[in-house]
Amino acid sequence: MIRVQREDFDVGAELTRLAAGNHQVGGIASFIGLVRDMGGSDRICALTLEHYPGMTERKLAEIEAEANRRWPLAASLVIHRYGRLEPGDRIVLVAAASPHREAALAACHFLIDWLKTKAPFWKAEETAAGERWVEARAEDDTSAESWKISS
Amino acid sequence: MKLLYFAWLRARVGCAEEEFALPPEVCKVADLLDWLRSRGGGHAEALRDLRVVRVAVNQDYVGLEHPVREGDEVALFPPVTGG
């Protein structure tokens, strides 16, 4: 399931719902991304997440379908927020449920790696010096690429 | 055709969205980017370095050789930074 929303989510409730009534689920792996503040001269007051409505949902659905093609998942979930968020706020929840832990853990890792390089979201940081668009990291591309050969 | 701009590309171009008739000399993405740059101002500034510009046609990532047709939705944006 894919959800793109402004409001926060309840991690416990979402994970409970993911496996509810499905007794084939032996484990759920999850990743929760938060707004961080590295402190020092780079202090972040807030973060604004912009996205491309339509393409975002489409790309997330493709990524989720790919995870389900690669691993035997009982259920999967991606919730990504947009709008203005403050340090400590939740940004994203990715979860994968499977009869076995290996598939759940690998699929969860895959989902967040691919989401980071393919889903059209952009972060602008509010700092004391003004607004600054976050630049993409080459390491994220490398992480996403690694799934092409290892699975 | 409809053009959409996101993140710092939107800020530099100065608008989020514009619609215009496809110029006759534009057949592919590379032509469209050349034509936009030739308009100067914010467009030329935003598209100065194409290494940091990603293109989607009808909500799918495409390369510079991808065809562009009347009625397409073309989006220009920097490398994504979600998650």
Side-chain angles (χ1 to χ4, degrees):
Chain A
M1 185 194 285
I2 299 298
R3 269 166 39 212
V4 181
Q5 61 188 46
R6 189 178 286 277
E7 59 273 18
D8 194 13
F9 46 82
D10 179 333
V11 175
E14 297 295 345
L15 297 184
T16 301
R17 197 174 305 138
L18 197 63
N22 188 342
H23 295 160
Q24 288 187 329
V25 173
I28 303 172
S30 64
F31 174 85
I32 300 141
L34 308 175
V35 179
R36 71 167 170 235
D37 178 12
M38 303 293 267
S41 58
D42 273 345
R43 237 188 139 72
I44 293 163
C45 315
L47 193 76
T48 300
L49 266 150
E50 179 175 328
H51 77 113
Y52 180 176
M55 182 169 174
T56 306
E57 290 81 356
R58 189 172 161 150
K59 286 292 140 195
L60 291 177
E62 281 177 19
I63 294 164
E64 188 185 40
E66 180 65 21
N68 278 273
R69 197 181 63 77
R70 293 184 182 212
W71 292 280
L73 303 181
S76 50
L77 174 67
V78 177
I79 304 176
H80 203 301
R81 297 178 67 192
Y82 61 89
R84 189 175 184 276
L85 303 171
E86 294 182 351
D89 283 352
R90 284 176 279 271
I91 302 173
V92 63
L93 169 64
V94 168
S98 176
H100 302 290
R101 74 178 183 285
E102 291 86 355
L105 287 164
C108 181
H109 196 173
F110 167 86
L111 283 165
I112 188 64
D113 277 1
W114 270 35
L115 181 157
K116 279 189 95 73
T117 58
K118 298 181 196 307
F121 286 98
W122 303 273
K123 293 183 182 123
E125 294 172 341
E126 280 174 40
T127 69
E131 188 187 66
R132 178 177 68 195
W133 288 97
V134 174
E135 283 185 33
R137 292 164 9 123
E139 298 94 304
D140 289 338
D141 283 327
T142 311
S143 299
E145 284 292 318
S146 72
W147 291 102
K148 286 196 175 151
I149 44 174
S150 63
S151 299
Chain B
M1 66 179 310
K2 189 195 225 181
L3 256 170
L4 304 173
Y5 305 99
F6 292 97
W8 56 255
L9 263 132
R10 171 177 46 72
R12 285 187 200 167
V13 167
C15 70
E17 186 177 331
E18 52 185 343
E19 286 205 45
F20 50 83
L22 191 68
E25 67 269 35
V26 172
C27 301
K28 57 186 185 180
V29 169
D31 303 333
L32 176 66
L33 296 178
D34 283 343
W35 181 77
L36 287 169
R37 279 191 288 199
S38 74
R39 293 167 69 187
H43 289 83
E45 167 65 20
L47 300 172
R48 201 177 37 174
D49 182 1
L50 292 184
R51 288 171 305 177
V52 289
V53 176
R54 299 289 175 268
V55 183
V57 172
N58 299 327
Q59 305 188 351
D60 269 319
Y61 290 105
V62 298
L64 294 176
E65 296 302 311
H66 190 86
V68 177
R69 298 189 179 91
E70 189 61 57
D72 279 349
E73 176 178 295
V74 180
L76 305 178
F77 48 76
V80 302
T81 56

